[in-house]
PDB file of all heavy atoms in Angstrom:
ATOM      1  N   LYS K  37      22.869   9.520 -28.885  1.00 67.00           N
ATOM      2  CA  LYS K  37      22.691  10.922 -29.216  1.00 67.00           C
ATOM      3  C   LYS K  37      21.362  11.144 -29.917  1.00 67.00           C
ATOM      4  O   LYS K  37      20.886  10.302 -30.676  1.00 67.00           O
ATOM      5  CB  LYS K  37      23.842  11.402 -30.109  1.00 67.00           C
ATOM      6  CG  LYS K  37      25.191  11.429 -29.406  1.00 67.00           C
ATOM      7  CD  LYS K  37      26.269  11.930 -30.343  1.00 67.00           C
ATOM      8  CE  LYS K  37      27.629  11.959 -29.633  1.00 67.00           C
ATOM      9  NZ  LYS K  37      28.706  12.428 -30.543  1.00 67.00           N
ATOM     10  N   LEU K 125      16.087   5.868 -14.777  1.00 97.00           N
ATOM     11  CA  LEU K 125      15.674   6.421 -13.489  1.00 97.00           C
ATOM     12  C   LEU K 125      16.719   6.111 -12.422  1.00 97.00           C
ATOM     13  O   LEU K 125      17.075   4.946 -12.215  1.00 97.00           O
ATOM     14  CB  LEU K 125      14.323   5.848 -13.069  1.00 97.00           C
ATOM     15  CG  LEU K 125      13.170   6.039 -14.059  1.00 97.00           C
ATOM     16  CD1 LEU K 125      11.936   5.296 -13.580  1.00 97.00           C
ATOM     17  CD2 LEU K 125      12.858   7.520 -14.256  1.00 97.00           C
ATOM     18  N   MET K 215       2.900  10.954  -4.527  1.00 94.00           N
ATOM     19  CA  MET K 215       2.047  10.905  -3.341  1.00 94.00           C
ATOM     20  C   MET K 215       2.397  11.990  -2.329  1.00 94.00           C
ATOM     21  O   MET K 215       1.547  12.462  -1.580  1.00 94.00           O
ATOM     22  CB  MET K 215       2.163   9.517  -2.685  1.00 94.00           C
ATOM     23  CG  MET K 215       1.208   9.277  -1.544  1.00 94.00           C
ATOM     24  SD  MET K 215       1.439   7.621  -0.847  1.00 94.00           S
ATOM     25  CE  MET K 215       0.793   6.619  -2.177  1.00 94.00           C
ATOM     26  N   PRO K 228      -8.617  16.545   9.911  1.00 93.00           N
ATOM     27  CA  PRO K 228      -9.107  15.391   9.130  1.00 93.00           C
ATOM     28  C   PRO K 228     -10.237  15.731   8.166  1.00 93.00           C
ATOM     29  O   PRO K 228     -10.300  15.186   7.066  1.00 93.00           O
ATOM     30  CB  PRO K 228      -9.562  14.409  10.208  1.00 93.00           C
ATOM     31  CG  PRO K 228      -9.746  15.224  11.450  1.00 93.00           C
ATOM     32  CD  PRO K 228      -8.741  16.322  11.364  1.00 93.00           C
ATOM     33  N   ARG K 239      -5.521   0.493  -5.295  1.00 95.00           N
ATOM     34  CA  ARG K 239      -4.774  -0.689  -5.718  1.00 95.00           C
ATOM     35  C   ARG K 239      -3.462  -0.252  -6.358  1.00 95.00           C
ATOM     36  O   ARG K 239      -3.375   0.820  -6.955  1.00 95.00           O
ATOM     37  CB  ARG K 239      -5.595  -1.548  -6.673  1.00 95.00           C
ATOM     38  CG  ARG K 239      -6.110  -0.813  -7.899  1.00 95.00           C
ATOM     39  CD  ARG K 239      -7.054  -1.689  -8.733  1.00 95.00           C
ATOM     40  NE  ARG K 239      -7.585  -0.957  -9.874  1.00 95.00           N
ATOM     41  CZ  ARG K 239      -6.982  -0.817 -11.031  1.00 95.00           C
ATOM     42  NH1 ARG K 239      -5.786  -1.373 -11.221  1.00 95.00           N
ATOM     43  NH2 ARG K 239      -7.538  -0.148 -12.018  1.00 95.00           N
ATOM     44  N   SER K 259       0.932   7.719   6.337  1.00 95.00           N
ATOM     45  CA  SER K 259       0.301   7.645   5.024  1.00 95.00           C
ATOM     46  C   SER K 259       0.589   6.271   4.431  1.00 95.00           C
ATOM     47  O   SER K 259       1.421   5.521   4.955  1.00 95.00           O
ATOM     48  CB  SER K 259       0.875   8.728   4.107  1.00 95.00           C
ATOM     49  OG  SER K 259       2.158   8.344   3.628  1.00 95.00           O
ATOM     50  N   ASN K 279       0.895 -15.129  -5.930  1.00 98.00           N
ATOM     51  CA  ASN K 279      -0.306 -15.342  -5.118  1.00 98.00           C
ATOM     52  C   ASN K 279      -1.002 -14.078  -4.640  1.00 98.00           C
ATOM     53  O   ASN K 279      -2.168 -14.139  -4.248  1.00 98.00           O
ATOM     54  CB  ASN K 279       0.048 -16.193  -3.889  1.00 98.00           C
ATOM     55  CG  ASN K 279       0.428 -17.611  -4.253  1.00 98.00           C
ATOM     56  OD1 ASN K 279      -0.357 -18.331  -4.863  1.00 98.00           O
ATOM     57  ND2 ASN K 279       1.635 -18.016  -3.895  1.00 98.00           N
ATOM     58  N   ILE K 320      -3.098  -6.221   6.883  1.00 98.00           N
ATOM     59  CA  ILE K 320      -1.924  -5.922   7.720  1.00 98.00           C
ATOM     60  C   ILE K 320      -2.092  -4.500   8.236  1.00 98.00           C
ATOM     61  O   ILE K 320      -2.207  -3.554   7.451  1.00 98.00           O
ATOM     62  CB  ILE K 320      -0.602  -6.038   6.938  1.00 98.00           C
ATOM     63  CG1 ILE K 320      -0.513  -7.375   6.189  1.00 98.00           C
ATOM     64  CG2 ILE K 320       0.582  -5.895   7.889  1.00 98.00           C
ATOM     65  CD1 ILE K 320       0.753  -7.517   5.335  1.00 98.00           C
ATOM     66  N   ASP K 335     -17.162  -9.620  16.445  1.00 98.00           N
ATOM     67  CA  ASP K 335     -18.616  -9.515  16.484  1.00 98.00           C
ATOM     68  C   ASP K 335     -18.965  -8.943  17.853  1.00 98.00           C
ATOM     69  O   ASP K 335     -19.065  -9.668  18.836  1.00 98.00           O
ATOM     70  CB  ASP K 335     -19.273 -10.883  16.277  1.00 98.00           C
ATOM     71  CG  ASP K 335     -19.094 -11.411  14.862  1.00 98.00           C
ATOM     72  OD1 ASP K 335     -19.345 -10.646  13.912  1.00 98.00           O
ATOM     73  OD2 ASP K 335     -18.703 -12.575  14.709  1.00 98.00           O
ATOM     74  N   ASN K 392      -0.549  10.895  28.311  1.00 73.00           N
ATOM     75  CA  ASN K 392       0.307  11.821  29.058  1.00 73.00           C
ATOM     76  C   ASN K 392       0.271  13.208  28.404  1.00 73.00           C
ATOM     77  O   ASN K 392      -0.560  13.502  27.549  1.00 73.00           O
ATOM     78  CB  ASN K 392       1.730  11.280  29.192  1.00 73.00           C
ATOM     79  CG  ASN K 392       2.455  11.161  27.856  1.00 73.00           C
ATOM     80  OD1 ASN K 392       2.052  11.748  26.851  1.00 73.00           O
ATOM     81  ND2 ASN K 392       3.537  10.403  27.837  1.00 73.00           N
ATOM     82  N   GLY K 395       0.002  13.457  24.554  1.00 68.00           N
ATOM     83  CA  GLY K 395      -1.331  13.219  24.013  1.00 68.00           C
ATOM     84  C   GLY K 395      -2.275  14.368  24.255  1.00 68.00           C
ATOM     85  O   GLY K 395      -3.101  14.726  23.394  1.00 68.00           O
ATOM     86  N   ALA K 425     -12.149   5.601  33.969  1.00 66.00           N
ATOM     87  CA  ALA K 425     -12.172   5.778  32.519  1.00 66.00           C
ATOM     88  C   ALA K 425     -11.974   7.249  32.159  1.00 66.00           C
ATOM     89  O   ALA K 425     -12.266   8.147  32.947  1.00 66.00           O
ATOM     90  CB  ALA K 425     -13.484   5.270  31.940  1.00 66.00           C
ATOM     91  N   PHE K 431     -16.700  14.798  21.443  1.00 83.00           N
ATOM     92  CA  PHE K 431     -16.461  13.575  20.683  1.00 83.00           C
ATOM     93  C   PHE K 431     -14.949  13.322  20.642  1.00 83.00           C
ATOM     94  O   PHE K 431     -14.165  14.252  20.445  1.00 83.00           O
ATOM     95  CB  PHE K 431     -17.001  13.731  19.263  1.00 83.00           C
ATOM     96  CG  PHE K 431     -17.238  12.436  18.551  1.00 83.00           C
ATOM     97  CD1 PHE K 431     -18.401  11.705  18.779  1.00 83.00           C
ATOM     98  CD2 PHE K 431     -16.314  11.938  17.642  1.00 83.00           C
ATOM     99  CE1 PHE K 431     -18.639  10.507  18.122  1.00 83.00           C
ATOM    100  CE2 PHE K 431     -16.540  10.746  16.976  1.00 83.00           C
ATOM    101  CZ  PHE K 431     -17.701  10.027  17.220  1.00 83.00           C
ATOM    102  N   SER K 434      -8.525  10.812  17.411  1.00 91.00           N
ATOM    103  CA  SER K 434      -7.747   9.572  17.292  1.00 91.00           C
ATOM    104  C   SER K 434      -6.842   9.345  18.488  1.00 91.00           C
ATOM    105  O   SER K 434      -6.675   8.207  18.960  1.00 91.00           O
ATOM    106  CB  SER K 434      -6.924   9.591  16.011  1.00 91.00           C
ATOM    107  OG  SER K 434      -6.079  10.740  15.965  1.00 91.00           O
ATOM    108  N   PRO K 458      -7.482 -16.443  11.674  1.00 98.00           N
ATOM    109  CA  PRO K 458      -6.188 -16.384  12.370  1.00 98.00           C
ATOM    110  C   PRO K 458      -5.591 -14.982  12.324  1.00 98.00           C
ATOM    111  O   PRO K 458      -5.807 -14.228  11.371  1.00 98.00           O
ATOM    112  CB  PRO K 458      -5.325 -17.378  11.595  1.00 98.00           C
ATOM    113  CG  PRO K 458      -5.936 -17.438  10.237  1.00 98.00           C
ATOM    114  CD  PRO K 458      -7.408 -17.219  10.432  1.00 98.00           C
ATOM    115  N   ARG K 513       6.791 -14.988   5.585  1.00 98.00           N
ATOM    116  CA  ARG K 513       6.519 -16.339   6.105  1.00 98.00           C
ATOM    117  C   ARG K 513       5.021 -16.558   6.283  1.00 98.00           C
ATOM    118  O   ARG K 513       4.477 -17.614   5.901  1.00 98.00           O
ATOM    119  CB  ARG K 513       7.238 -16.538   7.436  1.00 98.00           C
ATOM    120  CG  ARG K 513       7.068 -17.941   8.038  1.00 98.00           C
ATOM    121  CD  ARG K 513       7.489 -18.003   9.488  1.00 98.00           C
ATOM    122  NE  ARG K 513       6.572 -17.284  10.365  1.00 98.00           N
ATOM    123  CZ  ARG K 513       5.411 -17.777  10.799  1.00 98.00           C
ATOM    124  NH1 ARG K 513       5.011 -18.985  10.423  1.00 98.00           N
ATOM    125  NH2 ARG K 513       4.639 -17.064  11.604  1.00 98.00           N
TER     126      ARG K 513
END
Side-chain angles (χ1 to χ4, degrees):
K37 293 181 180 179
L125 304 174
M215 187 180 290
R239 55 186 178 84
S259 77
N279 292 302
I320 309 177
D335 291 312
N392 65 17
F431 200 81
S434 56
R513 182 194 70 80

